[in-house]
Amino acid sequence: MLRGALVASLALFAGVAAACGGDDSDSVAATTTAGGSAGTSAAATDECGFDQAMIDAAKKEGSVHVVGANFEEDAKKIGDKFEDAYGVKLVYNRQPTADAVQQIETSLTAGAPTVDAAWLAEPSTFVKWTAENKVVQLDPPNADAFIEGLRDPARYSLPTSTVPMGVLYNTSRIKKDEVPKSWAELNADRGDKVIGMANPANSGSSLSYHYVLGEEIGPDYLKPFEGKKNHITDSGTTLTQLTLTGEVDLAIPGYESEVVKARKTGEPLEVSFLDEVVPATVSEIGVLAKAPHPNAGKLFAEFVVCDTVQNTLGKDLGQRPVLKDAPLAEGLQDLSTHDIVAPEIPDMIAKRATVIQRFADSAQ
Amino acid sequence: MTAVSQTSKVARAADPDRSEPGDPAGPDRRPSPSRLGRFGRRPGTRSLIFWTWSLAAIALVVYPLALLFRLSFRGPDGTLGFDNYTDFFSDPALLRALWNSFWTAGAATLGCVVLGVPLAYLVARTDLPFRRLVRTTSILTFAIPNFIVVLGWMLLLGPRSGLLNTPLQSWFGLDDGPINIFSPWGVVFALVVHVYPLVFLPAAAALDNMEAPLEHAAASLGAGRWTVLRKVTLPLILPGVLAGAMLVFITSFIAFGPVLLLGGPSGFENVSTAMLRLLRFPSRIEMAAVLGVPTLVVLAGLLFIQKRYLGERGFSIISGKPGQRNVIHLGRWRWPAGAMALTVFGVTIVLPFGVLLVTSTRLRLGLPMGPDNFTLLENYRAVLRQPQVITALWNSAWLSAASTGIGITVALLGAWLVERARQRSSSAVPPAMLAPLAFPGAILGIALVIAYARWPFSLSGTLLILLIAYTIGVLPLAFTYQRAGLKQIDRSMEEAARSLGATWPRTVRKITLPLLKGPIIVVAVLTFIVHLRDLDSSMFLYNGNNPVIAVVLMNILESGHFQQISALSVMLLSINLTVLVVALLFYRWSRRGAGPALVSH
């Protein structure tokens, strides 16, 4: 079970290592051809390798409706690129992952789907939807360009980005050399520090984080938290606020993407990655089988993993690309010496209750 | 003999014209039954009202909730059965969550009554300083979603960095701040300061409406001020207080944001947070109706208690015979009482909104406050630069206004059926009007999508489905307050108008509605303010088109721009303050030349 995750981590590591020092400019996107050729055959294609017939069909549909957990301003940047390239408007509805899933399930139950694609921070939903035939298989032209192990053929969704997770802290309150470098150090030097933690029962990315730690460090990794000052929140967003105001000293999981954003607004936020392992959450996009705009949905989903978008993910979204050769944006930390591990989704689903119970027993 | 019936005797002794039929205390001058037949009890009028109300109730409440319940019998594999119910009620965390809901709701209700009723008496009956300020602004506690109010309290009373806790901590040399908002009692505190107007406002309105002769009569018979208060005044405002207390109890029972943000850190769950966890991971929308069952049972219990307690007792305190009401002079207690009222104003309005105002002027949340971390307008500009904000404000404003108008009308019809028509079918009205209380907004959203998304309605993603959602949200509050208002109006006044030849519509227009003006204006302003920033149902029903202000608030929050959230909250408060002032001016204008003050000041 763990093997798959390790393979993913090594591959991700390789991708990151290869990318260090790379160029993140838009011009790279413009000159890079698509990695794969599936579905292109002899038909005319654009720079992403999309079939002209599919582009025409999407244009005819006029718009694509996406619900997702990415921030609205981030989605808008990608939507603008998409509209510029294909003349198809993105209508984006930002929802936390759980709410997005609920909204889609409800519309499907009502027999009146309004959403074309779901863009979620918790891929486990796509496992269920694939089994229920609620999403369609995607076959992007650059299928071979994905980091090995990230794309699981058992679910009909595409990984769009990865976000490494570490320990969040406020640089105006804690000096960099005071921040623990490893899980062992975190527990050994904790003192009376208050550690904020998003509850894996409510947060999908926190579930990924604790699942990976449990697998990599061992099932007792949370024991040292028993009886300590832990501050449990429902989401990472609340953790960020509490870290900024000083209500908590350290927060886990801290998202690299949040830090990139915070830097742009001058907030003193940083993330430190653990030596033992760097859990990563993966965002994925899937197109609904009953999408009102099926061609626009498919075009948009595959556009997000096209080089044009992937090469600018780091700069625009503070997220790491999922393509092997995509450059790493300036400002993202060099993690070439770390083990980045993405969870193996089916195994995480199977162990979800255990992860949550372990958290409740030791941290709450 | 109960206090209320004693009071009625006292009132009747002082005013023989108010005697009950057959009462030995005085002659029965009520219209004969044949005359009563013309007073809105004519089958045609009654049927028209009943069927109009029934159609609205079916469309707004019965149809969506029936579909939701039908769905609850469908298992994950599509088979029918009770699996969802057994899954839910066998969840080990549920019992504890239910208990937590009960005690926090009970404590919050007690807190609201203890705070709201004396304060209502002080502002309505005494020469309390600042009484107009306290009364007018109390409604503003609802100006922004409660989770943002809670974020404000976290900034103020966080044990390690709270702006109030930090100085206390250093003065007393403590390791942590003395007040920990992240606790179950923090939840109760946040609820009380947010929802106490639900008790305070109807209590104050009832005290305003109560006619002076009732208390004068008791006093003339030798009752002291305390006895009058205990045996006349308080029993007669009971319908309003109980109605408000019931709303507080249910609102607190299903409170979500405060429990998640303030209770979560210590692992505290109530029925809402436990229910939504079960609903979401993995997503099981067929559980939605099941989750409302505990609250429905509690609601039914409260309605039963209310009915048993109030029963058929008379609570009419508006009979059209006003007298000069004496203002009670507090004497040496005037300024201490004024200080208490100012404290309430400070804690419920100034502190939570003040901290948001301060935060809206910070450049960086993570750096200490100071001149180099100050901006007057940048965060406001950043909010207004967002293209959706103006559209969202406009959509929210007209949706709130329209849903308030429709909801109040439907609820008034329901209240009339219960308090005036009094036929057997009227017993269906209170459950139908109050049932939406049992379901958090997101669950109502599920019901509405299932009911109205598909053909022939096809309302998914439209503003119309939001209008329906908001209207449903108006019903419980509007029904509760208007019913309490109607209960206080002596029907003999309407009957007198009818016996003098007034048509039924004219009687309603000239007698009933003017006497109900107070409760209607209160409920209109309150529901407008609440729905201007409605969050739960808006978030669920939003699909990328037609934004409303709560969606913009949530998007800004999720993006981590806390200073902009604060700026937008201050803007919302300003809009609501304007609405309040306009409502107040309208109320005063509408009372000009109205003769003796039948309704409050």
Side-chain angles (χ1 to χ4, degrees):
Chain A
M1 283 290 183
L2 188 58
R3 222 44 261 156
L6 288 173
V7 168
S9 90
L10 291 171
L12 195 56
F13 163 74
V16 169
C20 283
D23 186 353
D24 66 336
S25 69
D26 286 0
S27 61
V28 174
T31 54
T32 307
T33 54
S37 59
T40 55
S41 65
T45 60
D46 75 333
E47 66 178 27
C48 283
F50 296 140
D51 187 287
Q52 190 59 42
M54 186 168 88
I55 296 171
D56 292 342
K59 268 186 184 161
K60 208 171 176 181
E61 290 168 353
S63 63
V64 57
H65 292 240
V66 178
V67 58
N70 272 299
F71 299 136
E72 196 173 29
E73 60 200 56
D74 297 339
K76 190 176 178 310
K77 284 175 187 162
I78 295 175
D80 289 346
K81 284 183 203 290
F82 186 62
E83 192 169 358
D84 288 347
Y86 304 109
V88 180
K89 183 178 165 55
L90 169 69
V91 178
Y92 185 72
N93 175 13
R94 200 274 159 191
Q95 298 273 351
T97 293
D99 295 345
V101 173
Q102 226 172 55
Q103 205 178 47
I104 290 171
E105 293 273 18
T106 306
S107 69
L108 291 175
T109 303
T114 56
V115 173
D116 301 309
W119 197 358
L120 308 175
E122 197 204 17
S124 59
T125 300
F126 289 115
V127 175
K128 178 172 175 269
W129 282 354
T130 301
E132 295 169 352
N133 291 320
K134 287 179 177 166
V135 284
V136 296
Q137 190 153 22
L138 296 168
D139 193 12
N142 59 347
D144 299 337
F146 283 82
I147 293 170
E148 200 177 329
L150 267 188
R151 195 173 168 215
D152 182 353
R155 57 181 187 272
Y156 295 166
S157 51
L158 296 174
T160 60
S161 64
T162 59
V163 177
M165 296 179 283
V167 180
L168 198 68
Y169 64 99
N170 182 334
T171 55
S172 75
R173 293 173 183 269
I174 293 190
K175 293 188 184 112
K176 193 174 182 180
D177 55 5
E178 293 173 1
V179 179
K181 307 289 184 296
S182 65
W183 190 256
E185 202 178 305
L186 174 78
N187 289 301
D189 300 339
R190 178 165 174 177
D192 62 351
K193 282 193 180 75
V194 175
I195 297 187
M197 290 191 279
N199 192 339
N202 294 337
S203 160
S205 49
S206 182
L207 179 70
S208 298
Y209 187 84
H210 287 280
Y211 163 79
V212 170
L213 286 190
E215 296 297 307
E216 294 290 298
I217 299 177
D220 292 335
Y221 75 101
L222 266 178
K223 283 278 178 198
F225 277 65
E226 287 178 9
K228 298 284 186 181
K229 290 182 178 175
N230 309 314
H231 189 116
I232 314 302
T233 69
D234 64 306
S235 74
T237 307
T238 317
L239 271 187
T240 305
Q241 189 204 5
L242 294 171
T243 309
L244 284 171
T245 58
E247 203 54 57
V248 301
D249 297 299
L250 304 168
I252 49 176
Y255 311 104
E256 187 181 41
S257 53
E258 292 260 321
V259 169
V260 172
K261 279 178 178 306
R263 271 196 220 120
K264 287 180 186 169
T265 57
E267 292 288 6
L269 210 58
E270 267 303 339
V271 64
S272 166
F273 294 104
L274 300 174
D275 286 344
E276 292 97 335
V277 62
V278 177
T281 180
V282 181
S283 281
E284 297 203 353
I285 191 165
V287 177
L288 298 179
K290 293 184 177 172
H293 312 99
N295 293 297
K298 188 167 184 293
L299 187 70
F300 181 77
E302 295 184 356
F303 177 72
V304 177
V305 296
C306 164
D307 298 0
T308 308
V309 173
Q310 287 287 308
N311 290 351
T312 58
L313 267 181
K315 191 174 73 178
D316 287 348
L317 276 67
Q319 298 182 6
R320 293 180 186 240
V322 292
L323 302 184
K324 281 183 281 201
D325 300 326
L328 191 68
E330 193 181 335
L332 296 185
Q333 286 191 40
D334 175 7
L335 295 177
S336 55
T337 57
H338 289 71
D339 256 350
I340 306 174
V341 177
E344 195 183 356
I345 301 303
D347 192 50
M348 185 172 77
I349 294 172
K351 292 177 178 168
R352 181 175 181 272
T354 309
V355 173
I356 290 171
Q357 191 57 49
R358 191 164 57 203
F359 183 87
D361 291 343
S362 299
Q364 282 188 302
Chain B
M1 184 174 280
T2 66
V4 172
S5 54
Q6 282 169 351
T7 304
S8 302
K9 286 262 185 196
V10 168
R12 285 198 294 271
D15 182 5
D17 287 352
R18 294 191 72 250
S19 304
E20 296 289 338
D23 191 323
D28 181 3
R29 295 180 194 166
R30 284 189 153 200
S32 65
S34 60
R35 301 290 283 182
L36 280 176
R38 289 167 53 197
F39 174 58
R41 295 188 180 183
R42 199 167 43 192
T45 309
R46 196 171 54 195
S47 294
L48 180 68
I49 291 177
F50 179 76
W51 287 111
T52 307
W53 174 83
S54 297
L55 280 177
I58 288 169
L60 292 170
V61 181
V62 179
Y63 174 58
L65 291 185
L67 291 183
L68 197 66
F69 272 100
R70 190 180 71 172
L71 184 68
S72 72
F73 296 105
R74 201 183 73 184
D77 55 354
T79 55
L80 293 178
F82 290 92
D83 290 356
N84 296 322
Y85 288 87
T86 48
D87 281 2
F88 177 56
F89 288 103
S90 59
D91 185 74
L94 184 69
L95 270 184
R96 197 178 54 195
L98 271 172
W99 165 243
N100 287 340
S101 269
F102 266 111
W103 84 255
T104 47
T109 307
L110 185 67
C112 288
V113 170
V114 167
L115 180 65
V117 175
L119 192 64
Y121 188 80
L122 286 170
V123 299
R125 287 302 175 80
T126 72
D127 60 347
L128 180 84
F130 318 114
R131 56 186 178 278
R132 282 192 179 165
L133 173 77
V134 171
R135 182 172 193 158
T136 310
T137 55
S138 66
I139 214 165
L140 291 175
T141 64
F142 294 104
I144 52 175
N146 65 4
F147 81 90
I148 294 180
V149 180
V150 169
L151 289 178
W153 282 114
M154 285 160 62
L155 290 170
L156 285 164
L157 290 176
R160 305 192 73 219
S161 63
L163 296 176
L164 294 180
N165 261 332
T166 312
L168 292 173
Q169 190 181 345
S170 59
W171 288 341
F172 295 108
L174 304 169
D175 289 338
D176 282 333
I179 307 167
N180 184 5
I181 193 74
F182 298 108
S183 64
W185 286 107
V187 172
V188 172
F189 169 78
L191 286 169
V192 170
V193 296
H194 189 60
V195 300
Y196 90 93
L198 291 178
V199 172
F200 167 72
L201 291 170
L207 284 162
D208 283 338
N209 285 348
M210 192 186 298
E211 290 162 2
L214 295 172
E215 290 166 318
H216 289 172
S220 69
L221 291 172
R225 187 179 289 175
W226 173 243
T227 307
V228 172
L229 177 68
R230 197 162 48 89
K231 294 210 165 181
V232 180
T233 313
L234 291 181
L236 284 175
I237 64 168
L238 204 57
V241 173
L242 274 185
M246 196 169 84
L247 287 175
V248 168
F249 190 91
I250 293 293
T251 307
S252 307
F253 191 84
I254 61 165
F256 184 69
V259 178
L260 198 67
L261 291 171
L262 301 179
S266 57
F268 183 82
E269 269 196 331
N270 75 346
V271 71
S272 275
T273 52
M275 285 186 327
L276 289 179
R277 180 169 46 74
L278 287 174
L279 182 69
R280 287 177 168 179
F281 296 102
S283 176
R284 292 178 66 182
I285 61 161
E286 62 276 5
M287 292 284 279
V290 186
L291 305 182
V293 169
T295 320
L296 276 179
V297 171
V298 171
L299 190 59
L302 288 174
L303 279 174
F304 179 75
I305 292 168
Q306 189 189 34
K307 192 172 180 183
R308 283 294 294 266
Y309 192 72
L310 298 182
E312 294 298 314
R313 294 178 196 175
F315 288 94
S316 304
I317 54 178
I318 306 171
S319 62
K321 303 173 186 66
Q324 184 65 43
R325 182 184 297 150
N326 294 331
V327 173
I328 296 170
H329 296 284
L330 294 170
R332 63 196 169 97
W333 291 103
R334 187 166 183 254
W335 286 105
M340 188 206 84
L342 266 192
T343 305
V344 173
F345 172 67
V347 171
T348 57
I349 304 287
V350 177
L351 283 178
F353 286 102
V355 76
L356 292 175
L357 181 67
V358 169
T359 306
S360 74
T361 62
R362 291 173 78 163
L363 283 167
R364 324 258 181 270
L365 189 67
L367 295 175
M369 284 189 288
D372 54 346
N373 190 19
F374 175 82
T375 174
L376 189 61
L377 295 174
E378 183 45 41
N379 291 314
Y380 293 88
R381 286 198 197 102
V383 168
L384 290 172
R385 272 198 296 269
Q386 300 195 23
Q388 285 194 323
V389 167
I390 300 299
T391 313
L393 274 172
W394 168 245
N395 284 343
S396 289
W398 82 255
L399 280 171
S400 302
S403 61
T404 296
I406 299 168
I408 282 180
T409 307
V410 173
L412 183 58
L413 295 180
W416 186 89
L417 285 169
V418 176
E419 291 300 324
R420 291 297 186 262
R422 295 195 173 186
Q423 52 193 12
R424 181 169 286 186
S425 53
S426 299
S427 60
V429 175
M433 293 286 90
L434 296 176
L437 272 180
F439 299 94
I443 291 181
L444 278 180
I446 292 175
L448 286 179
V449 170
I450 289 169
Y452 291 115
R454 75 174 89 193
W455 192 87
F457 304 108
S458 304
L459 296 185
S460 194
T462 64
L463 287 170
L464 192 53
I465 202 165
L466 278 175
L467 178 65
I468 295 173
Y470 287 12
T471 304
I472 294 171
V474 172
L475 294 177
L477 201 75
F479 173 76
T480 304
Y481 283 179
Q482 292 181 121
R483 184 186 176 188
L486 267 178
K487 215 176 182 64
Q488 289 186 318
I489 299 173
D490 194 329
R491 68 173 62 195
S492 66
M493 295 178 65
E494 294 152 315
E495 290 163 355
R498 296 285 299 173
S499 68
L500 291 170
T503 59
W504 183 74
R506 186 174 165 80
T507 304
V508 169
R509 192 159 49 86
K510 292 286 185 184
I511 305 288
T512 315
L513 286 181
L515 290 175
L516 266 183
K517 195 160 50 185
I520 289 176
I521 288 179
V522 165
V523 89
V525 174
L526 189 56
T527 52
F528 179 87
I529 287 175
V530 166
H531 288 95
L532 187 69
R533 49 67 169 173
D534 172 274
L535 184 71
D536 292 348
S537 53
S538 303
M539 282 302 292
F540 190 85
L541 295 170
Y542 175 66
N543 78 342
N545 293 310
N546 304 316
V548 290
I549 204 64
V551 170
V552 176
L553 268 170
M554 204 61 196
N555 278 333
I556 297 176
L557 179 73
E558 293 287 347
S559 303
H561 301 308
F562 301 106
Q563 299 94 311
Q564 290 179 30
I565 274 282
S566 302
L568 186 51
S569 298
V570 171
M571 288 160 70
L572 271 180
L573 179 70
S574 309
I575 292 170
N576 284 320
L577 199 56
T578 309
V579 169
L580 198 58
V581 169
V582 169
L584 206 62
L585 291 175
F586 169 76
Y587 182 64
R588 287 187 180 162
W589 171 81
S590 69
R591 277 194 51 230
R592 275 192 317 181
L598 293 175
V599 187
S600 124
H601 316 192

